[in-house]
Amino acid sequence: MQKRKTVLDILTMKKTGEKITMLTAYDAAMASLLASADVDMLLVGDSLGMVVLGYDSTVPVTMDEMIHHASAVRRGAPGAFVVADLPFGSYQTGIRDALINGSRFLKEAGCDAVKLEGGLEVCDTVAALVRAGISVMGHIGLTPQTATQLGGYKVQGRDLQSAKKMVAEALALEKAGAFAIVMECIPDELGRIISEEIAVPTIGIGAGVHCDGQVLVVNDLLGMFEKFIPSFVKSYCKLAPTIKEAVAEYNREVRSGAFPDKKHSFSSESNLRELLGLS
Ligand code: KIV
């Protein structure tokens, strides 16, 4: 079993220049596979709303859905460092709600940390969570929970003013106590500058190679989610066509009677019909 990393280990990785890997996981089976492949951190992202639950965005995802999936991830990967997303509406309504919901991830799902989206407006919440003993990962740049306010799913921080704002947000989140910051969909040079300016690790997704670590949605990495593939995603294999081919083959074999064959069936007395008294 993996030795579970700590926040201190993650911070040390930045100091020693060791790149950090993070992938999303939503269930026990995948979490177990990812942990055995030695991923540094698992993220129970609210992206599960889109890639697992079939919603159009992350907005409808509830705390109970997150707890359900985060608990499964923890069961599948007891040795992994697990971060869970505070979903939309679970922390914007006030610090008390953030504390209640953040604690639920630790108490009910056994998570190691929570992640929340936003810049200066969430710094008081981040500080309160950290004070309460809940480790927090920030998330700036493209923040999917408020993507409509940002003009949709597009690169952030391209102009000087928004780049400046993002540097300020990263510094403020670090000051508030965030132990790491996800930066989504920003120019790679801005990714480099922020990574150099703050002491806590930056975890990039569409933020270039200079971030201290990288995160991807595992379904994208595995080529399982065909509905929408952002340009920054690299699929390391194409499971969707493999799955479809396997299922088509199964359909063919069931329909033709080729499956199950002798090898995949249990044998019994050859005169069972007679033994059962049936003629
Ligand atoms: O929800 C999620 O999966 C995320 C990652 C894309 C960083 O927030």
Side-chain angles (χ1 to χ4, degrees):
M1 200 209 288
Q2 250 187 333
K3 184 186 168 295
R4 202 191 294 190
K5 286 200 165 51
T6 63
V7 165
L8 211 62
D9 293 326
I10 304 296
L11 292 166
T12 304
M13 288 175 84
K14 167 141 187 163
K15 284 203 190 105
T16 57
E18 201 184 331
K19 292 276 188 183
I20 300 162
T21 63
M22 179 159 88
L23 282 174
T24 64
Y26 314 110
D27 61 41
M30 183 62 80
S32 170
L33 283 172
L34 300 183
S36 60
D38 203 23
V39 174
D40 294 315
M41 291 191 276
L42 297 181
L43 171 66
V44 188
D46 58 358
S47 51
L48 74 86
M50 294 163 88
V51 293
V52 177
L53 301 179
Y55 298 134
D56 282 339
S57 76
T58 59
V59 172
V61 177
T62 66
M63 256 321 281
D64 286 345
E65 285 167 340
M66 289 301 300
I67 291 284
H68 180 75
H69 286 271
S71 307
V73 167
R74 169 52 73 218
R75 286 192 293 274
F81 187 96
V82 176
V83 184
D85 260 338
L86 279 163
F88 184 69
S90 68
Y91 61 98
Q92 293 88 344
T93 47
I95 287 178
R96 185 179 144 78
D97 286 347
L99 290 170
I100 291 169
N101 291 318
S103 325
R104 283 190 69 192
F105 277 125
L106 272 59
K107 285 164 72 86
E108 296 176 38
C111 293
D112 299 288
V114 302
K115 176 166 82 60
L116 53 76
E117 296 181 7
L120 302 179
E121 73 284 6
V122 297
C123 282
D124 286 348
T125 306
V126 170
L129 286 163
V130 174
R131 261 197 314 276
I134 301 168
S135 300
V136 180
M137 181 178 277
H139 184 156
I140 56 175
L142 173 58
T143 45
Q145 292 177 8
T146 47
T148 47
Q149 286 182 335
L150 302 173
Y153 292 87
K154 60 181 199 186
V155 181
Q156 302 295 308
R158 275 220 155 115
D159 60 276
L160 196 56
Q161 200 186 342
S162 62
K164 218 169 171 181
K165 181 168 169 260
M166 218 170 292
V167 174
E169 286 175 341
L171 287 167
L173 283 167
E174 177 184 30
K175 194 160 171 227
F179 77 94
I181 301 175
V182 166
M183 304 197 295
E184 180 163 355
C185 257
I186 64 169
D188 61 353
E189 187 55 17
L190 183 56
R192 179 212 289 268
I193 292 167
I194 295 177
S195 303
E196 287 171 356
E197 287 300 308
I198 63 175
V200 297
T202 56
I203 312 291
I205 173 160
V209 73
H210 307 292
C211 298
D212 303 301
Q214 297 292 327
V215 57
L216 278 179
V217 168
V218 72
N219 300 53
D220 291 338
L221 177 149
L222 297 175
M224 286 173 77
F225 190 63
E226 293 179 307
K227 223 167 152 184
F228 169 68
I229 305 165
S231 62
F232 57 77
V233 162
K234 180 170 177 187
S235 296
Y236 286 77
C237 61
K238 298 255 175 282
L239 283 194
T242 306
I243 291 169
K244 286 187 212 168
E245 277 159 30
V247 173
E249 174 81 2
Y250 166 78
N251 284 342
R252 272 194 299 275
E253 291 201 352
V254 169
R255 287 169 186 152
S256 71
F259 177 82
D261 53 11
K262 278 259 182 280
K263 196 173 151 207
H264 298 98
S265 304
F266 300 105
S267 60
S268 63
E269 302 296 331
S270 56
N271 60 343
L272 184 61
R273 183 163 252 285
E274 204 178 306
L275 293 172
L276 289 170
L278 301 167
S279 55

